[in-house]
Amino acid sequence: MGFAHRHLLGIEPLSQSDITCILDLADQYVTLNRSAQKTSDVLKGLTQINMFFENSTRTQASFELAGKRLGADVMNMAMQASSIKKGETLIDTALTLNAMHPDLLVVRHPNSGAVDLLAQKVNCAVLNAGDGRHEHPTQALLDALTIRRAKGRLHRLNIAICGDIAHSRVARSNIILLGKMENRIRLIGPPTLMPSEISEFGCEVYDDMREGLKDVDVVMMLRLQKERMDGGFIPSEREYYHRFGLDADKLSHAKDDAIVMHPGPMNRGVEIDGDIADDVTRSVIQEQVEMGVAVRMAAMHLLAENAKAAARGMSSSEVMV
Ligand code: NCD
C-alpha cells in the first residue's frame, strides 16, 4: 500500500501505513544525505515555492534543501505576516501563485486552517509547514523518524511532551501521530498551558515534571510560544524553569536511556538546561534537524509521484484522498 494523498496538510488524515511509508522512504534519504553525492533527480523540472507568512529558520532551510537535493527549482517568497491581514488576500496570493504553475507549495501561516483553505484554491500539492496552533506534520514525522531510529521502534513507548502544549502545533501533530502508532503519551506542564480540549486527547496529564517523567523513554520539550500568548500564562521565566525546565535532576526520573528532544528554536535556561541540550549521550536535537531534511524529501517525493499518476489519467479517487 502506498501513500495516496494529494497534499500533506496534517497528521490527522494519515493512516499508520501512510506514516510508515513516509518514514521508510525518509530512511533511504538519510543514507543519501550522508553520502558524498547528495542529490537525485526525483523532482527534476518541478517548481517548489516556499511561502512563509511567519518567521522560520530551520523549517524553511530544511524544505529548501530538501527540494534542491531532489533537483527541483526552489523559490522562497518573502511573506511578511503583516502583508496578509484578510482571508481574501491569502486566496488572492494563492491564485496568483497558482497561475505560475508550481508543482509543490510549502506554506507556513499564523492562522490555524489557512493552509487547508489555500490547498482548496490551487492545483498543485500543498505541504503544511505549520499553521497557527493547528498542525505541523513534517515536524511530527521527523520526530517520529528520530524516535524510531533511536529506539528501534515507534510503538509501545512512554513519551512525555512537556511545556506549552496549549499553543503548540508541534505538540498537536505529535500527539496525533504518536497516538496513531500506539504509544502512551503523557503531557506535562502547568494547567494554564494545557489546551481546553485536553480530555479528548486520550493522554495522561501531569503538572509535576518528576512524577510525569517517571520511566519515560522519550522526553520532548517545547518552547514557550510567547508570540501566541495574550496574557500571563506563567508567573515568571525563572519560576517556570524551576518547575518545568528540563535539568539533570528532573531527567534522572526518566529511564536511563531516555532521549531528549526539542523542535527548536530552544530557549536555554527557560524550558531546557543548556548542558542537557548539548549532551550527545541524551539529546537527539541535532538528529531531529538531520531527519527533517530526509522526511521533507520523502514527503515531496511521494506527493510528486501522486501528482504524476493523477496527470496520467487515473481519477483522483483511485489514487488520492
Ligand atoms: C516549531 C514551530 O514553528 O512550530 N519550530 C519548528 O518548526 N522547528 C516550534 C516552535 O516554534 O517552538
Side-chain angles (χ1 to χ4, degrees):
M1 268 224 318
F3 177 85
H5 296 268
R6 190 169 164 213
H7 305 293
L8 180 60
L9 299 174
I11 299 296
E12 190 77 71
L14 304 186
S15 65
Q16 266 194 10
S17 84
D18 288 330
I19 293 166
T20 304
C21 175
I22 299 178
L23 300 187
D24 289 350
L25 182 59
D27 261 330
Q28 295 179 30
Y29 280 124
V30 175
T31 309
L32 180 78
N33 288 338
R34 288 181 180 179
S35 70
Q37 169 72 35
K38 299 178 179 57
T39 52
S40 110
D41 57 5
V42 165
L43 300 183
K44 193 163 187 286
L46 301 187
T47 302
Q48 172 191 337
I49 301 182
N50 297 334
M51 288 168 75
F52 281 67
F53 295 93
E54 235 184 33
N55 288 340
S56 164
T57 320
R58 79 202 67 219
T59 305
Q60 185 168 339
S62 182
F63 267 111
E64 183 175 352
L65 206 52
K68 286 182 170 162
R69 289 206 174 144
L70 295 179
D73 295 314
V74 186
M75 188 176 101
N76 289 313
M77 305 244 322
M79 321 293 303
Q80 290 299 324
S82 59
S83 75
I84 177 115
K85 297 205 178 77
K86 294 179 179 156
E88 205 179 17
T89 320
L90 173 69
I91 290 165
D92 274 346
T93 314
L95 294 177
T96 307
L97 283 173
N98 197 43
M100 299 181 195
H101 299 291
D103 301 285
L104 295 149
L105 215 48
V106 178
V107 188
R108 169 171 285 193
H109 198 281
N111 297 349
S112 307
V115 184
D116 291 47
L117 185 70
L118 195 138
Q120 292 165 25
K121 306 286 171 192
V122 297
N123 302 319
C124 64
V126 177
L127 292 101
N128 182 359
D131 65 323
R133 310 173 185 191
H134 178 226
E135 281 234 39
H136 191 352
T138 56
Q139 179 70 44
L141 287 160
L142 76 87
D143 290 338
L145 185 61
T146 308
I147 295 170
R148 195 173 81 166
R149 290 172 69 103
K151 294 282 152 205
R153 66 181 201 274
L154 189 58
H155 58 275
R156 296 222 195 134
L157 292 165
N158 288 317
I159 300 173
I161 305 179
C162 316
D164 184 1
I165 315 280
H167 301 99
S168 174
R169 54 196 175 208
V170 175
R172 237 184 91 79
S173 289
N174 264 303
I175 291 167
I176 301 170
L177 189 155
L178 297 167
K180 280 184 196 261
M181 302 312 279
E182 292 165 17
N183 295 284
R184 252 174 87 181
I185 306 167
R186 301 183 190 173
L187 305 179
I188 316 175
T192 47
L193 294 178
M194 288 292 164
S196 49
E197 71 275 23
I198 189 89
S199 57
E200 295 161 25
F201 288 173
C203 303
E204 296 167 36
V205 182
Y206 295 85
D207 68 357
D208 181 277
M209 285 285 275
R210 288 171 186 84
E211 212 183 301
L213 289 182
K214 199 166 176 319
D215 294 329
V216 298
D217 301 285
V218 177
V219 184
M220 193 181 285
M221 301 307 298
L222 298 170
R223 184 176 65 86
L224 280 179
Q225 310 260 308
K226 282 186 242 155
E227 71 279 19
R228 298 190 210 290
M229 296 182 189
D230 49 12
F233 284 83
I234 55 161
S236 73
E237 284 186 358
R238 212 164 146 245
E239 172 71 10
Y240 182 81
Y241 180 68
H242 176 66
R243 289 200 54 203
F244 297 101
L246 186 68
D247 56 17
D249 171 54
K250 295 187 191 93
L251 182 59
S252 70
H253 292 76
K255 282 197 184 142
D256 289 342
D257 62 353
I259 54 169
V260 174
M261 307 179 73
H262 194 303
M266 241 183 321
N267 290 311
R268 291 167 184 258
V270 179
E271 69 263 358
I272 189 164
D273 171 40
D275 289 344
I276 300 276
D278 297 334
D279 177 356
V280 292
T281 65
R282 306 306 294 269
S283 163
V284 293
I285 295 171
Q286 298 308 321
E287 277 90 335
Q288 287 175 270
V289 178
E290 181 186 6
M291 296 309 126
V293 179
V295 151
R296 289 167 180 128
M297 289 166 87
M300 291 197 288
H301 174 154
L302 293 166
L303 293 176
E305 267 188 355
N306 287 349
K308 245 190 263 168
R312 278 200 306 269
M314 293 157 88
S315 82
S316 58
S317 60
E318 280 176 80
V319 271
M320 280 166 237
V321 285

